[in-house]
Amino acid sequence: MATPDQMDRVVNLCKRRGLVFPSSEIYGGFRSTWDYGPLGVELKRNVKDAWWRSMVQLRDDIVGLDAAILMAPKVWEASGHLATFTDPLVDCRSCKERFRADHLPGSGACPNCGAKDSFTEARHFNLMFKTFVGPVEDDAAVAYLRPETAQGIFVNFANIQTTSRKKPPFGVAQIGKSFRNEITPGNFIFRTREFEQMEMEYFVPPGDADHWYEHWCQERLRWHLDLGIPESKLRLRPHDPEELSHYSTATSDVEYEFPWGWGELEGIANRTDFDLKQHAESSGQELTYFDQENDRRYVPYVIEPALGADRATLAFLLAAYEEEDVANGKGGTEKRTVLHLDPRLAPIKAAVLPLSRNERLTPIAEEIAGALRPHFMIDVDSSGSIGRRYRRQDEVGTPYCVTVDFDTLDDHAVTVRDRDSMTQERIPVDGLVTYLREQLPW
Ligand code: GAP
């Protein structure tokens, strides 16, 4: 079971090994913002690629979109975000700290200073970031940073449907940044004000909405399991009616058991025809589908699985993290930290390790690295003992280490070590790409 202590260890590992850094760190950091370092950017890209592959590449009923972050302000009026995308905010009169009213403990005590019944009345605080487009900062120039990527899909419904000639049921997938002025960001990359979403809007005939809602709940659960989240750490939780967003008649969260308890990883919502109808009314454009076979025109219902790329990355990191005792080769044991990441998500797929910096080994190691590079993200590490180098790769989840030793000079083979089992196999250099291709799913 993950503990808060484990969270600290993962955050430390992320900092120490270049996965995630506090943003603007040389200025003391900036309010729960984070930067993905050289290994983190690979990990998050792999998470997004895994999502895109399963949603778009492997299906013929879903197409992609990359819409602008800045959209006409009318979009947010029509979508209901200007009026209702708010959190109830209270201040503690004693310590002046701010909280979300719906996140306060039942005891009525301030979580910061412990003062009893010290909160102000709840005020509704809109989560959208406001900015100005152009040089004049007046009401006519106001624009918002999108708080969800979904609206870019809804306003492009007719463009996409007519150009792709898809018929319901069909979907549109999008990955991109969203922004929310969260009152209480925190827990590392779990809740931030700037984050990436992976959202898919699946347009269906209204009568089929319940079926597709169930389908996507199961399909999305399966995706997380397939990429290595253990079943015991995942659950599907249907929302109570009072929890539902203003646009939804049914929502379920895929929840992960984070070190602080169960938390939302992904939401799957039945958004009905709410968004298309609102935009049709507000823009005066027709956003319907004409079903020729049945000679009827309708506004499709929408089933939406929406996952945060950062939150998913955190869950994969936590689920993969392990500290274990292993034999140290001297009759005792030592600790090894290992990320058992699914190889598809691992930032580096293989590390080439020349046994020493000997002048006869270096050129062969470089040649092997050069042969692997077009196929996989690889690393070359020649500093420190081989044992230390294995540990360095283990803790960032590299599935395979390829050791080049003096025998390589004669037998033209290398030792390939498996991260999880730590077993080693001798593989001919000529067959190395094929061997790794077979081990690494894609
Ligand atoms: N379009 C629907 C929608 O945006 P949501 O439940 O508000 O629904 C979907 O967000 C997912 O986006 C969440 O399940 C979570 O993974 C991610 N997410 C939402 N707010 C976030 C935040 N402040 N920081 C990081 N991820 C966030």
Side-chain angles (χ1 to χ4, degrees), residues 169-200:
F170 79 96
V172 182
Q174 174 162 223
I175 299 178
K177 289 251 171 158
S178 291
F179 301 82
R180 294 181 191 174
N181 202 356
E182 299 279 3
I183 297 168
T184 47
N187 283 330
F188 193 36
I189 51 174
F190 176 81
R191 190 186 309 284
T192 50
R193 295 190 171 105
E194 171 182 350
F195 53 96
E196 267 184 289
Q197 287 189 309
M198 308 189 281
E199 299 198 289
M200 195 276 290

Side-chain angles (χ1 to χ4, degrees), residues 345-359:
L345 301 182
I348 304 287
K349 309 300 182 197
V352 178
L353 314 177
L355 193 63
S356 75
R357 284 190 170 144
N358 182 284
E359 60 188 19

Side-chain angles (χ1 to χ4, degrees), residues 81 85 147-151 154 178-180 182 185-186 189-199 201 239 245 247 251 253-254 264-269 271 304-312:
H81 283 82
F85 196 57
E148 62 169 7
T149 63
Q151 297 302 325
F154 297 131
S178 291
F179 301 82
R180 294 181 191 174
E182 299 279 3
I189 51 174
F190 176 81
R191 190 186 309 284
T192 50
R193 295 190 171 105
E194 171 182 350
F195 53 96
E196 267 184 289
Q197 287 189 309
M198 308 189 281
E199 299 198 289
E201 310 303 319
H239 279 205
S245 306
Y247 49 71
T251 298
D253 287 345
V254 176
E264 175 185 345
L265 191 52
E266 167 158 13
I268 299 110
R271 292 184 75 130
E304 173 198 69
L307 172 63
D310 311 86
R311 217 173 261 193

